[in-house]
């Protein structure tokens, strides 16, 4: 989630029968939303050739109070393919509800465009400067582990001074700014290549 691609989503409402749809008008609405998204991605430094654009129509059978979001291929828009648009809706409808209603009219509730930049390249093994575990132990603390073990004096480690490959037998405490991790007696902990603290419970 923290390294997801930059993306912007736009929605324009306006109920209309599929039979009355003017594709040129719909294309204009979609183009406007697409341009808004590309402008925002430009401001974020995303090159135009790296942008992906997806089109959707929220559709339903006339008289229903809910809709099904339907992806729209560029070919349907370019060819003004009314039957293809209905077929795309009914494929989604059947996948969700197990049936379709061929005799009922279909209406469009709204249009949606999602403009997405490229997925960021993240090196999960890049952990920055690590001082090593020789000075990682910062003291001791008495920790209560339930009626069976009671209070136990355990070593306390500075989470930021651990390096990949370090391993520890529990009990142990690992402190960092955001949280504290406690490994119980019989447990084991190790630091993996991406500097994650991996704990194996007894």
């Amino acid at each position: 989630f923290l390294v997801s691609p930059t993306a912007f989503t736009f929605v324009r409402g306006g109920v209309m029968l599929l039979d009355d749809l003017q594709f040129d008008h719909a294309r204009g609405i979609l183009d406007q939303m697409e341009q808004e998204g590309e402008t925002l991605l430009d401001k974020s430094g995303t090159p135009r050739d790296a942008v992906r654009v997806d089109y959707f129509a929220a559709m339903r059978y006339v008289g229903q109070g809910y809709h099904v979001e339907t992806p729209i291929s560029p070919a349907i828009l370019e060819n003004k393919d009314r039957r293809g648009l209905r077929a795309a809706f009914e494929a989604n409808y059947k996948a969700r509800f197990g049936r379709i209603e061929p005799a009922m009219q279909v209406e469009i509730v709204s249009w949606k465009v999602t403009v997405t930049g490229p997925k960021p390249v993240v090196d999960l093994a890049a952990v920055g400067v690590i001082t090593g575990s020789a000075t990682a132990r910062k003291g001791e603390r008495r920790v209560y582990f339930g009626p069976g073990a009671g209070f136990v004096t355990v070593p306390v480690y500075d989470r930021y001074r651990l390096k990949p490959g370090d391993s520890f037998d529990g009990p142990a405490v690992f402190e960092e700014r955001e949280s504290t991790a406690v490994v119980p007696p019989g447990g084991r902990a190790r630091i993996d290549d991406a500097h994650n603290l991996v704990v194996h419970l007894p």
Side-chain angles (χ1 to χ4, degrees):
F1 174 77
L2 295 177
V3 295
S4 61
T6 302
F8 298 94
T9 297
F10 304 86
V11 178
R12 297 285 188 274
V15 179
M16 70 182 72
L17 289 174
L18 177 58
D19 289 344
D20 296 335
L21 172 63
Q22 300 297 316
F23 276 89
D24 290 339
H25 176 68
R27 180 79 255 187
I29 294 173
L30 295 169
D31 285 347
Q32 182 184 23
M33 291 190 283
E34 180 179 342
Q35 289 168 10
E36 290 180 34
E38 289 181 344
T39 298
L40 290 173
L41 285 177
D42 280 344
K43 292 180 179 179
S44 71
T46 302
R48 286 287 179 104
D49 59 357
V51 172
R52 190 185 81 240
V53 181
D54 297 299
Y55 308 102
F56 305 87
M59 305 174 69
R60 65 190 179 192
Y61 289 114
V62 173
Q64 293 182 328
Y66 51 87
H67 61 260
V68 174
E69 188 170 270
T70 302
I72 305 172
S73 70
I76 285 178
L77 298 172
E78 292 167 8
N79 298 328
K80 301 182 179 181
D81 185 0
R82 203 179 308 273
R83 290 184 179 180
L85 185 52
R86 177 168 184 138
F89 159 69
E90 290 189 325
N92 277 355
Y93 191 95
K94 185 173 183 179
R96 180 173 297 186
F97 301 110
R99 69 182 194 282
I100 60 173
E101 304 292 344
M104 294 183 67
Q105 285 188 301
V106 173
E107 62 186 4
I108 299 166
V109 178
S110 62
W111 302 96
K112 185 173 89 171
V113 172
T114 299
V115 184
T116 307
K119 184 176 180 181
V121 178
V122 180
D123 182 2
L124 295 178
V127 296
V129 177
I130 297 178
T131 59
S133 56
T135 58
R137 182 162 174 162
K138 56 190 293 187
E140 295 179 337
R141 178 187 297 180
R142 285 175 57 77
V143 179
Y144 184 71
F145 288 103
F151 281 95
V152 179
T153 299
V154 303
V156 178
Y157 296 95
D158 182 343
R159 177 77 168 79
Y160 301 105
R161 293 181 177 273
L162 303 179
K163 67 180 189 302
D166 286 343
S167 61
F168 306 86
D169 292 323
V173 171
F174 301 89
E175 292 183 340
E176 55 185 319
R177 288 186 302 270
E178 296 82 5
S179 64
T180 297
V182 179
V183 179
R188 284 188 56 81
R190 64 179 177 85
I191 307 299
D192 69 10
D193 291 340
H195 208 214
N196 296 303
L197 177 65
V198 181
V199 177
H200 297 274
L201 297 176

